[in-house]
Amino acid sequence: MIDPEDVYRRTTPSSRKLHERAVNAMPGGTTRTTTYFDPYPLYIERGEGCRIWDADGTERIDMLGNYTAMILGHSHPKVVEAISRQAARGTAFAAANPIEVELATLLCERVPSLDLVRFCNSGTEATMFAMRLARAFTGRPKIARIEGGYHGTHDYAEVSTHPILAEAGPPERPVARPDSIGTPQWILDGSVILPFNNPDAAERILREEGEQVAAVILEPIIGAGGVIAATSEFIERLRAVTVELGMLLIFDEVISLRVAPGGAQQLYGVTPDLTTMGKIIGGGLPVAAFGGRADIMELLDPRRTPNLPQGGTYNGNPLGMAAGVAAMKELTPDVYEELNRKGARVKDQLTEVFASHDLPVQVNGAGSLLAIHFTDIPVTDYRTKATANPKITHDFFLALVNHGVLMAPRAMGALSTPMGEHDIQEFVDAVDAVVTEQLPRWQANGSLRSD
Ligand SMILES: Cc1ncc(COP(=O)(O)O)c(C=O)c1O
């Protein structure tokens, strides 16, 4: 029987050596919790198209694309050219620049809810400013958010993204739990937790909280938390209830902007008051944005007194803007459609593979996003997602790395435009090979028991 960790250790000696050095300079030898996994992270030296090469020169299919950001794959020639051209002309000035106008205009034209937009450097900042803006606009203190949704790493975001179930309260009235040590109690007191895809319970909670709530923030398609699409009923109910109760509705489309030119809001036909974006809009560089209704966004106008100041040394820096414009111009409606078609096909193929092994698995897909949940219960919210088997998930992820594919350790992935039929077939074959290899081990060591 093959232990994926043994194989991983044997085949990635350079990553192991780099990590041994890294632990002397960074806690856990890493600077990003999400790229760490046991026994040590994989060090990538180079990427091109949908392929990446690790520090030992081993090639793999990149099924994660920097957590969905690299929709065009790596080193896309148009993006490389735009970055090179701009790098030679200067990367950041304490001034406005013409390219930020271009990217801002492009986003306002594409995304239905955007009258006005502002740039920042990470999705974390985008959701932080959107929440602050909602509090400023409504004069209310609390933010309602979805259990199991992810909005980055600031204090208000690090609440109930993956609570321990025993501490999370009843499914119909979840309690706010901190995701990080160091989260102040007042953040939890200022957070209202809604169950995903349960319109009646969500409405009841919002009515109870009433004028305390400034905004409801949600990913219309939960991304990092397992690729779980909201039902239209849920989204439409939240829209109606927030209007009635004077709360703002914020769509966090940092990931879901990759499903259509106008994001998930275009697909659902529901327009939020504010939208946060990131990942794909920077063409692989750290660019994010938030925007929405003019009457709300105008609170950021420095000509107003008082206003909501939004500093940021690298906001709208020309390097990121140039990469973003180049990438977004490549993303025509046809490109989204083709990518989504491929996504739907991969989901079907994977479902067939798991069924052929008689393994209880849910393959969740939305556009070009996919997530594999090792459970026999359909995954529609955090509580159902939490039934997935963590031991199998980790084995599966590591064995897949050994078989030439990088997904997220929680078995989430995203397609990129350079992926052709043969890349996709290689991925599906690798999944098949991993299950064939690991199933006897999972059966023998009891991992398949639901305890
Ligand atoms: C929906 C969503 N919002 C916000 C963020 C935070 O973005 P960043 O990692 O750029 O801070 C993420 C990151 O994955 C995300 O998926």
Side-chain angles (χ1 to χ4, degrees), residues 381-405:
D381 61 6
Y382 178 69
R383 304 284 170 128
T384 45
K385 184 196 140 210
T387 63
N389 186 312
K391 283 192 293 225
I392 293 184
T393 307
H394 182 70
D395 280 357
F396 173 80
F397 155 74
L398 207 54
L400 207 51
V401 169
N402 298 337
H403 281 264
V405 179

Side-chain angles (χ1 to χ4, degrees), residues 414-428:
L415 276 67
S416 59
T417 58
M419 281 176 188
E421 289 301 329
H422 63 287
D423 301 301
I424 287 174
Q425 194 56 51
E426 208 177 306
F427 167 57
V428 173

Side-chain angles (χ1 to χ4, degrees), residues 32 67 121-125 127 150-153 219 223-224 252-255 276 279 288:
R32 186 177 175 193
Y67 277 87
N121 304 288
S122 67
T124 290
E125 278 177 82
T127 63
Y150 183 67
H151 304 294
T153 52
E219 300 162 89
D252 183 352
E253 299 234 39
V254 165
I255 284 185
T276 54
K279 310 268 190 200

